[in-house]
Amino acid sequence: MGYYGEAFHGIWGNMFNSLIVCVVTTIGVVFFSSATAYVFSRHHFFGKEVLFSLVLALMMVPGVLTLVPSYILYKTLGLHDNLMALILPIWTGGCIFAVFLLTTFFSGLPKDLFEAAQIDGASLFRCYYAIALPLSMPILGTITIMQIVNVWNDYIWPQLVLSEEKFTVSAGLLLTFKSEYTSNMPVMFAGYLVASSPLILLFIFANKFYIQGLVGAAIKM
């Protein structure tokens, strides 16, 4: 257990940073993507199809192409070496796939449910949180798991915008157990296992919801 204890001591701060980013970004992605998808699927307005196509077009833009302009933007905003530099890009641009899945799912829900609720006096917002969200819990679980995994495994962007003290776990693993000339390989590999353990536990306990969400979305498509 010596290697694992040393590895945990070396990366526990990075794991805590990743946990903060995972929780905050996941809450934001679930809210913004579900609200956006609800508007796209249940309401009609001018240019909706064009706007939705433009949103989906963002899925075809590789994230590597936006690294330099994003770095310049967040440095200009004064968010360099701040965890908000990891959170804001996900809130503003990391919801695209979730919007696509939820829009497809919401579009397949019976209109009678929402019409009956509106006849009984339910507002549009109440239809959203009392009908749409409870029915979409499996797919929201899938989106949550995918978001946590993406944030936990990201290492390029954190290395660009954060100092070593504020690194997330994936970025920290690359530097914590390395010196200029040598690497502590046993502790490094123990660190990989320690860093992976939260994701392993997540899939063990949430695998059923992940599969249900993917199957539900595929059926609606």
Side-chain angles (χ1 to χ4, degrees):
M1 295 299 293
Y3 289 144
Y4 294 103
E6 184 177 350
F8 180 77
H9 179 74
I11 64 172
W12 74 270
N14 304 129
M15 294 180 69
F16 182 73
N17 292 336
S18 290
L19 180 62
I20 294 175
V21 177
C22 284
V23 171
V24 177
T25 56
T26 300
I27 293 174
V29 166
V30 168
F31 173 73
F32 293 128
S33 61
S34 61
T36 304
Y38 181 74
V39 172
F40 274 128
S41 61
R42 309 310 309 180
H43 299 280
H44 300 281
F45 53 89
F46 177 75
K48 182 180 76 170
E49 291 76 12
V50 176
L51 182 59
F52 185 65
S53 299
L54 292 175
V55 171
L56 295 183
L58 296 175
M59 295 174 60
M60 296 182 287
V61 179
V64 177
L65 294 180
T66 63
L67 282 179
V68 174
S70 296
Y71 175 80
I72 295 174
L73 172 63
Y74 287 102
K75 187 173 183 179
T76 304
L77 294 175
L79 295 178
H80 189 266
D81 199 22
N82 191 314
L83 290 181
M84 287 302 297
L86 304 183
I87 296 171
L88 286 179
I90 296 176
W91 280 359
T92 56
C95 304
I96 306 303
F97 185 67
V99 169
F100 170 67
L101 285 181
L102 287 168
T103 300
T104 305
F105 184 86
F106 288 158
S107 297
L109 296 178
K111 295 181 180 180
D112 296 342
L113 291 174
F114 299 93
E115 293 175 354
Q118 290 175 350
I119 291 174
D120 289 339
S123 63
L124 295 177
F125 182 73
R126 186 171 183 181
C127 290
Y128 160 70
Y129 75 80
I131 299 177
L133 287 185
L135 292 176
S136 61
M137 289 305 294
I139 194 170
L140 289 178
T142 300
I143 292 171
T144 298
I145 294 173
M146 294 173 62
Q147 179 60 35
I148 292 174
V149 172
N150 290 336
V151 172
W152 199 266
N153 291 334
D154 187 21
Y155 67 93
I156 296 179
W157 182 244
Q159 285 186 332
L160 287 177
V161 297
L162 299 178
S163 62
E164 188 172 346
E165 292 76 16
K166 294 185 179 180
F167 273 172
T168 55
V169 63
S170 294
L173 277 172
L174 298 177
L175 298 176
T176 301
F177 307 113
K178 288 184 179 181
S179 63
E180 186 176 358
Y181 301 106
T182 61
S183 299
N184 192 338
M185 299 303 293
V187 179
M188 181 184 297
F189 285 110
Y192 290 150
L193 181 58
V194 171
S196 302
S197 57
L199 298 184
I200 296 173
L201 294 175
L202 177 66
F203 272 100
I204 289 175
F205 292 104
N207 184 54
K208 179 179 68 174
F209 302 102
Y210 180 75
I211 295 176
Q212 286 180 351
L214 290 179
V215 172
I219 292 175
K220 295 296 182 182
M221 290 179 188

